[in-house]
Amino acid sequence: MKVRKLNHQIFELPSNHPARAFLEEFIECRTECVGREIALSGDTPVDQEWFSRIDGKHWLFSNLMYKYISFDIQLDGWLTGAPTLTDSERYDLEMIPVVRGLLLECREEAIRHKNDSVLELISRVEHLLWLWENCIHSRVSN
């Protein structure tokens, strides 16, 4: 994981700084939520499937995590001091509501199936999304 290396200046900020708080949670959330469909060392696989009303596609929680959480993020706006939203920040602000909607559908299905393991992970990702938005909005509001 290169997140710390890509954002090393941000990790020098206080732990309650919005960018650092987001990155710390991003790393933890990615570790906890990605790859849970694979049973390693006797662990029980964790996943949930549903058919999305949002995009008309069949989804798995694991697919959602791979698509939207499983990458190395670089907070370019914070690192460069960009005066306005960067392209990646604009994309993130458009993507976050989509992910929230998909998570809501996943939550509904997990509740129906009493899939408490996925419900815990969904709550974690929802918190991450809140931190992500806060990170972006706090940068451009300063």
Side-chain angles (χ1 to χ4, degrees), residues 15 21 45 47 57 59 72 75 85-86 99 111 115 124:
S15 60
D47 217 344
K57 296 179 182 176
W59 278 93
D72 289 318
L75 298 182
L85 287 173
T86 65
V99 176
I111 289 170
N115 190 343
R124 182 105 196 229

Side-chain angles (χ1 to χ4, degrees), residues 6-140:
L6 292 170
N7 300 280
H8 64 89
Q9 301 99 315
I10 293 171
F11 285 99
E12 295 170 6
L13 298 170
S15 60
N16 64 345
H17 186 280
R20 181 169 175 187
F22 163 68
L23 288 174
E24 296 280 358
E25 183 61 22
F26 183 87
I27 291 168
E28 287 183 36
C29 189
R30 185 168 118 174
T31 301
E32 292 296 317
C33 297
V34 175
R36 295 296 300 273
E37 78 286 3
I38 303 167
L40 299 174
S41 304
D43 289 342
T44 303
V46 175
D47 217 344
Q48 180 63 58
E49 65 179 319
W50 77 98
F51 185 79
S52 174
R53 297 177 306 274
I54 293 171
D55 64 8
K57 296 179 182 176
H58 176 262
W59 278 93
L60 292 167
F61 176 79
S62 56
N63 295 142
L64 190 64
M65 294 302 93
Y66 284 116
K67 182 169 183 166
Y68 293 108
I69 306 292
S70 183
F71 56 87
D72 289 318
I73 191 167
Q74 184 176 35
L75 298 182
D76 60 341
W78 282 101
L79 294 170
T80 64
T84 60
L85 287 173
T86 65
D87 289 343
S88 64
E89 289 170 330
R90 270 191 289 288
Y91 170 81
D92 294 343
L93 289 175
E94 291 172 6
M95 172 269 304
I96 289 170
V98 174
V99 176
R100 276 198 181 107
L102 293 168
L103 282 172
L104 179 60
E105 291 180 334
C106 183
R107 176 184 292 284
E108 292 167 356
E109 199 65 15
I111 289 170
R112 198 166 75 75
H113 289 279
K114 296 178 175 49
N115 190 343
D116 294 336
S117 297
V118 165
L119 288 170
E120 289 177 29
L121 298 178
I122 289 170
S123 293
R124 182 105 196 229
V125 177
E126 288 170 336
H127 179 67
L128 174 69
L129 296 176
W130 180 85
L131 288 172
W132 202 337
E133 277 184 327
N134 184 54
C135 172
I136 295 168
H137 289 304
S138 64
R139 187 187 75 74
V140 294

